[in-house]
């Protein structure tokens, strides 16, 4: 019989942990029963790990195998800081749910562990009774016996040769980047412990990028200098272009025009800083520091990712929420490739939130709180029609402000993600299709996640197990149109290690 420690990686905020307590307790009981059925002796580490020092103090002394029970969103350092430098077997075990997105926390923390070269394994199930899921139990038994769990790698491959036309486009874009390095304006630093999404100049500069950091306090300070007339004009612009505001709806009495005006104030402040520093793209931390001080950044971020925006120069400004450089890089690269191919340059930022079977294929629900451009909802670069602004859920965003949400239209798409592996920057690239769901299915999936956020149902060319086993982020950058070959060629030209994830050929 083997002793195995179970721990609860947590959010830094008390309320989400409190709300998740019934679910994580139930999941822990399921895991305990599964381990006991396999003949092992599980024991619990008391309470949520909600600060880095708690991880250091509670996990650091443990030499037994450890399992992190992943039910809701939680911070990577609340695991990593207690397990780096140790070699005892580590397993991240999640539910597979959109409402309780343990899979999102698992993907982020797994990528954080990978960036620190800390070995770990992953496992998940959507069964009500975990002991009844034979595949899950077999894998859990393997991990208990060997300390590691390997997943099939059939869907992982190195990229082959690309078409000469794609190669030519990639070389042209690469030449532009070599001539003028891409400047990423960073508003703050890593958000909510996503250390896997911060690379810094030592890695960025090897690939044609660099960063300039701005303290987020500048947003507050410079906001005082934004004239009411500019805000009036910005609000008139977004209304005239078709953005629908859901002020005061569903009990959100504090979400009103004034809240939106403050979001537009922040948009204008950041736009001025982009112009001042001649930045090419943006990473915006916002959480957690600005949560009690300013409205959510999501409306502004969605506008930056739209060509149709106040005081626009006719282009998008690729904006990665949560200061995630792992999405900022592919967003900027795909933007340039799309433009070179004569396609619209908007690139969307999304969470990998959940997925399910529909009409014979596996579709991923991609949605983030608002860093998605309006082009996804209307395929018209000159309008904001189809975009809606709902109050951000108050549990996470106490200061009122809205999202930029809508239903993403169907069409061919390319996706990509940059991450740290083995001390270097890698690029995952794939392609697929954004799918239009029947209204009843769409609504069930949307309501089962977060209805206030932009919704995309996507066939990414990879199913549940491939992504859950191998993907190294909870975020993904998505572009409408096929720039797959061009993205492969450009990534190689800029020195990224390239990996293709595809369950199907083509």
């Amino acid at each position: 019989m083997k002793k195995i420690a179970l721990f609860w990686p947590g959010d830094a905020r008390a309320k989400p942990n409190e709300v998740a307590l019934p679910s994580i307790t139930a999941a822990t009981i399921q895991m305990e029963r599964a381990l006991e059925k396999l003949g092992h002796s599980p024991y619990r580490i008391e309470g949520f790990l909600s600060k880095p020092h708690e991880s250091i103090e509670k996990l650091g002394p443990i030499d037994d195998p450890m399992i992190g029970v992943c039910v809701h969103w939680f911070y990577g350092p609340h695991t990593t800081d207690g397990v780096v430098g140790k070699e005892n077997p580590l397993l991240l075990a999640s539910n597979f749910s959109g409402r309780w997105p343990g899979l999102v926390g698992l993907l982020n923390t797994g990528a954080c562990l990978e960036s620190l070269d800390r070995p770990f394994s992953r496992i998940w199930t959507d069964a009500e009774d975990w002991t009844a899921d034979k595949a899950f139990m077999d894998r859990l038994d393997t991990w208990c016996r060997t300390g590691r769990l390997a997943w099939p790698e059939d869907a992982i491959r190195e990229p082959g040769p690309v078409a000469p036309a794609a190669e030519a486009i990639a070389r042209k874009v690469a030449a532009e980047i070599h001539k003028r390095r891409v400047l990423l304006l960073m508003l703050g630093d890593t958000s909510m412990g996503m250390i896997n999404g911060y690379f810094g100049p030592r890695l960025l500069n090897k690939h044609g990028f660099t960063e300039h950091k701005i303290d987020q306090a500048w947003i507050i300070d410079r906001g005082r200098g934004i004239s009411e007339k500019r805000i009036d004009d910005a609000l008139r612009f977004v209304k005239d272009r078709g953005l629908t505001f859901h002020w005061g709806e569903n009990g959100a009495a504090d979400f009103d025009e004034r809240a939106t005006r403050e979001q537009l104030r922040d948009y204008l402040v950041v736009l001025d800083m982009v112009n001042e520093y001649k930045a090419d793209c943006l990473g915006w931390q916002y959480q957690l520091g600005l949560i009690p001080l300013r409205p959510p950044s999501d409306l502004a971020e969605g506008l930056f990712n739209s060509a149709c925006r106040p005081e626009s120069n006719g282009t998008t400004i690729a904006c990665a929420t949560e200061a995630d450089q792992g999405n900022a890089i592919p967003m900027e690269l795909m933007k340039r490739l799309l433009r070179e191919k004569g396609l619209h340059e908007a690139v969307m930022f999304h969470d990998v939130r959940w997925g399910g079977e529909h009409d014979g294929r596996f579709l991923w629900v991609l949605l983030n709180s608002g860093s998605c451009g309006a082009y996804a909802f209307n395929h018209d670069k000159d309008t904001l029609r189809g975009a809606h602004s709902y109050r951000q859920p108050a549990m996470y965003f106490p200061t009122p402000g809205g999202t930029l949400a809508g239903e993403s239209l169907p069409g061919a798409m390319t996706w990509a993600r940059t991450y740290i592996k083995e001390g270097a920057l890698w690029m995952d690239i794939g392609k697929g299709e954004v799918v239009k769901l029947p209204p009843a299915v769409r609504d069930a999936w949307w309501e089962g996640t977060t209805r206030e956020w932009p919704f995309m149902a996507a066939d990414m060319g990879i199913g549940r197990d491939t992504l859950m086993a191998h993907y190294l982020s909870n975020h993904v950058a998505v572009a409408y149109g096929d720039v797959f070959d061009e993205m492969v060629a450009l990534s190689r030209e800029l020195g990224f290690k390239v990996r293709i994830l595809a369950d199907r050929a083509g």
Side-chain angles (χ1 to χ4, degrees):
M1 180 176 293
K2 183 184 295 184
K3 293 175 64 179
I4 299 174
L6 306 184
F7 68 95
W8 293 354
D11 200 305
R13 298 159 289 193
K15 188 62 176 178
N17 292 334
E18 178 186 327
V19 173
L21 183 60
S23 292
I24 202 165
T25 301
T28 302
I29 291 171
Q30 292 278 354
M31 178 58 77
E32 288 169 338
R33 289 173 177 169
L35 291 169
E36 289 166 354
K37 187 173 183 178
L38 295 172
H40 302 290
S41 179
Y43 64 96
R44 299 188 193 185
I45 305 302
E46 183 180 355
F48 284 100
L49 306 180
S50 60
K51 291 182 173 61
H53 77 267
E54 294 174 350
S55 175
I56 293 169
E57 294 166 0
K58 292 185 178 183
L59 300 185
I62 296 174
D63 293 321
D64 294 324
M66 293 188 290
I67 299 177
V69 182
C70 309
V71 163
H72 65 328
W73 169 254
F74 54 91
Y75 293 15
H78 299 167
T79 297
T80 62
D81 288 353
V83 302
V84 290
K86 299 170 64 66
E87 297 183 357
N88 51 327
L90 173 63
L91 179 67
L92 300 180
S94 80
N95 58 353
F96 195 83
S97 164
R99 176 63 66 192
W100 293 104
L103 70 97
V104 184
L106 181 152
L107 290 170
N108 172 66
T109 295
C112 292
L113 290 163
E114 185 70 41
S115 74
L116 298 172
D117 297 321
R118 190 355 173 144
F120 74 102
S121 298
R122 322 177 188 204
I123 197 169
W124 56 90
T125 180
D126 57 5
E128 290 188 15
D129 179 357
W130 292 14
T131 64
D133 184 340
K134 184 178 185 304
F136 171 84
M137 292 297 290
D138 288 346
R139 292 180 181 121
L140 183 61
D141 181 50
T142 297
W143 180 81
C144 290
R145 288 185 293 101
T146 67
R148 63 185 301 271
L149 184 57
W151 289 85
E153 298 187 355
D154 303 0
I156 302 175
R157 59 181 172 86
E158 293 185 2
V162 303
E167 192 79 51
I169 288 173
R171 286 177 178 167
K172 182 177 180 182
V173 172
E176 295 171 353
I177 292 173
H178 290 314
K179 185 176 180 180
R180 187 191 186 278
R181 185 177 299 278
V182 178
L183 177 58
L184 169 58
L185 187 67
M186 290 286 289
L187 306 176
D189 209 328
T190 53
S191 178
M192 297 186 290
M194 286 180 255
I195 59 172
N196 61 295
Y198 179 70
F199 308 145
R202 292 170 184 81
L203 289 175
L204 290 173
N205 277 278
K206 296 178 181 179
H207 304 284
F209 282 74
T210 193
E211 68 172 21
H212 178 64
K213 286 186 181 176
I214 297 267
D215 194 305
Q216 289 195 105
W218 286 25
I219 297 174
I220 299 172
D221 179 49
R222 293 193 176 197
R224 301 185 184 106
I226 299 296
S227 71
E228 294 302 311
K229 182 182 184 307
R230 286 183 74 190
I231 298 173
D232 290 341
D233 291 344
L235 182 59
R236 186 180 308 111
F237 179 93
V238 296
K239 284 182 173 180
D240 289 348
R241 296 307 189 278
L243 177 56
T244 301
F245 291 98
H246 297 266
W247 293 322
E249 295 182 7
N250 299 319
D254 60 352
F255 180 44
D256 53 18
E257 181 176 310
R258 180 178 177 277
T260 297
R261 290 177 65 87
E262 289 304 302
Q263 289 184 289
L264 291 171
R265 183 189 303 276
D266 290 352
Y267 164 82
L268 293 167
V269 168
V270 175
L271 178 62
D272 287 349
M273 290 194 288
V274 169
N275 292 332
E276 177 182 350
Y277 289 97
K278 293 183 169 54
D280 298 288
C281 49
L282 275 169
W284 195 335
Q285 177 186 350
Y286 181 68
Q287 301 184 78
L288 292 174
L290 289 184
I291 279 180
L293 303 172
R294 297 301 301 156
S297 59
D298 302 282
L299 174 62
E301 292 177 28
L303 290 173
F304 278 120
N305 285 322
S306 305
C308 182
R309 54 187 174 83
E311 301 186 18
S312 176
N313 61 355
T315 68
T316 65
I317 299 172
C319 181
T321 194
E322 295 161 350
D324 185 356
Q325 296 181 342
N327 256 34
I329 288 174
M331 288 174 77
E332 180 65 22
L333 296 183
M334 286 197 288
K335 169 187 170 178
R336 296 182 182 218
L337 292 172
L338 289 163
R339 184 168 56 202
E340 194 62 36
K341 288 191 75 172
L343 302 170
H344 182 56
E345 63 192 46
V347 184
M348 315 306 163
F349 184 114
H350 277 298
D351 282 356
V352 180
R353 179 64 178 267
W354 181 74
E357 295 281 346
H358 175 72
D359 200 21
R361 56 179 169 172
F362 193 90
L363 302 179
W364 287 97
V365 173
L366 307 180
L367 77 168
N368 183 267
S369 55
S371 194
C372 178
Y375 183 79
F377 318 136
N378 56 42
H379 286 189
D380 182 350
K381 64 182 179 62
D382 298 318
T383 182
L384 297 174
R385 288 193 304 271
H388 298 257
S389 190
Y390 302 95
R391 198 224 190 274
Q392 278 281 24
M395 181 172 71
Y396 294 104
F397 301 94
T399 305
T403 56
L404 190 81
E407 179 186 1
S408 299
L409 297 179
M413 63 87 156
T414 307
W415 62 265
R417 171 69 191 183
T418 311
Y419 55 94
I420 304 174
K421 181 180 173 68
E422 299 167 349
L425 288 187
W426 291 62
M427 186 80 75
D428 277 359
I429 306 171
K431 61 181 177 178
E433 179 186 8
V434 181
V435 176
K436 184 173 180 60
L437 294 172
V441 177
R442 175 203 63 202
D443 291 346
W445 288 14
W446 208 343
E447 295 288 346
T449 49
T450 305
R451 181 59 181 81
E452 298 88 351
W453 294 0
F455 178 90
M456 178 179 283
D459 181 345
M460 296 176 64
I462 49 176
R464 184 186 76 167
D465 288 353
T466 293
L467 189 144
M468 289 296 295
H470 300 297
Y471 196 60
L472 286 167
S473 179
N474 55 306
H475 293 156
V476 65
V478 179
Y480 279 96
D482 184 359
V483 289
F484 177 85
D485 278 359
E486 291 83 359
M487 190 62 180
V488 168
L490 179 57
S491 299
R492 290 192 294 205
E493 193 76 21
L494 294 176
F496 294 96
K497 295 187 176 184
V498 180
R499 188 176 73 159
I500 307 302
L501 289 179
D503 283 322
R504 300 184 300 276

